[in-house]
Amino acid sequence: MLTQGIGQGTAAVRLVAVEKVYGRGDNEVAVLKRLSLDFAAGSFTAVMGPSGSGKSTFLHCSAGLVKPTRGTVLIGDTDLADLDEVGLTRLRRDRIGFVFQSYNLLPALTVRQNIVLPSQLAGRRPNRSQVLAVVDRVGLADRLDHLPGQLSGGQQQRVAIARALVTRPAVVFADEPTGALDTRTAAAVLGLLRETVDAGGQTLVMVTHDPVAASYADRVVFLADGRFAGELHRPTAEAVAARMTRLGAWNDATVPASAAVRSEGGR
Ligand code: ADP
Ligand code: MG
């Protein structure tokens, strides 16, 4: 059963009519437009859509990193608007893991230090076996004492993933977590993400542009121009690719990764 003791069907994350507007006056840009979405506890959801459709903004608003202009975001029973900065920081630290599109590793800290930093900030002693287990799963066991600058892009991405998973937070948000990985490493990471949901009862929301990555999820939610644009349950890569084509989602910035030859990104 689920570790958080939340029944299936309970929303771990809920957005109600969320709007995000950047700029003012003539420069005003509505990025999210009355977006309402539920993410069931213990579910794995992929979020897809054209470049610029608001996927990262949606993820940042959901995780309490960016404040919506209007609307409500709930993590479990907690309305993020009810929290002050301290409360928000505590909630992010204790209940949320976030894998940034740009990794956001601290360059002066080793791989090990980067991974245990969130637990240290929370005043918890990092659990050594938990650290070693997750590091082993992402294939970084022999890189623990390296600095981020000594790693390839794909390796840095895996450090960011290990950092988000190591405290086993109730909700993990991941922004294109396999974007810099070769096909084999991506499959290993996606298998690990799938397992955290199946075994740990955690809730995972992953932005991706790769139909194969999306096929690991229970559900795919499509965004277009800041709005909900449909969903697929038990997605296959083929069905996802077909839907993306219908959305006109593939432009120069989002080549379907499964159709492209990739190599692990170097620096
Ligand atoms: P996606 O992740 O789907 O590519 P984003 O959420 O990054 O989309 O961006 C959606 C739109 O919002 C883009 O047009 C982007 O330029 C705009 N945007 C994102 N962040 C900001 C910001 N901080 N200030 C102004 N505009 C922004
Ligand atoms: Mg993005």
Side-chain angles (χ1 to χ4, degrees), residues 19-33 52 57 69-70 225:
E19 299 180 41
K20 183 65 194 176
V21 179
Y22 282 114
R24 277 172 192 280
D26 288 349
N27 296 320
E28 208 173 89
V29 186
V31 176
L32 299 179
K33 300 168 181 169
T57 305
T69 308
R70 278 177 284 278
D225 194 24

Side-chain angles (χ1 to χ4, degrees), residues 22 31 50-57:
Y22 282 114
V31 176
S51 178
S53 59
K55 302 181 299 294
S56 292
T57 305

Side-chain angles (χ1 to χ4, degrees), residues 4 62-65 75 78 80 83-98 100 114-125 130 162-173 202:
Q4 282 82 28
S62 303
L65 295 164
I75 299 289
T78 309
L80 298 191
L83 301 176
D84 58 12
E85 272 310 316
V86 175
L88 206 50
T89 302
R90 191 172 296 138
L91 175 126
R92 282 201 303 261
R93 205 178 58 194
D94 294 343
R95 289 164 70 184
I96 292 174
F98 203 100
F100 290 91
N114 265 286
I115 291 171
V116 301
L117 187 67
S119 345
Q120 281 175 336
L121 290 176
R124 289 190 294 264
R125 189 209 285 250
Q130 222 162 307
R163 180 178 59 182
L165 295 180
V166 73
T167 57
R168 297 187 184 155
V171 185
V172 176
F173 296 101
Q202 289 161 283

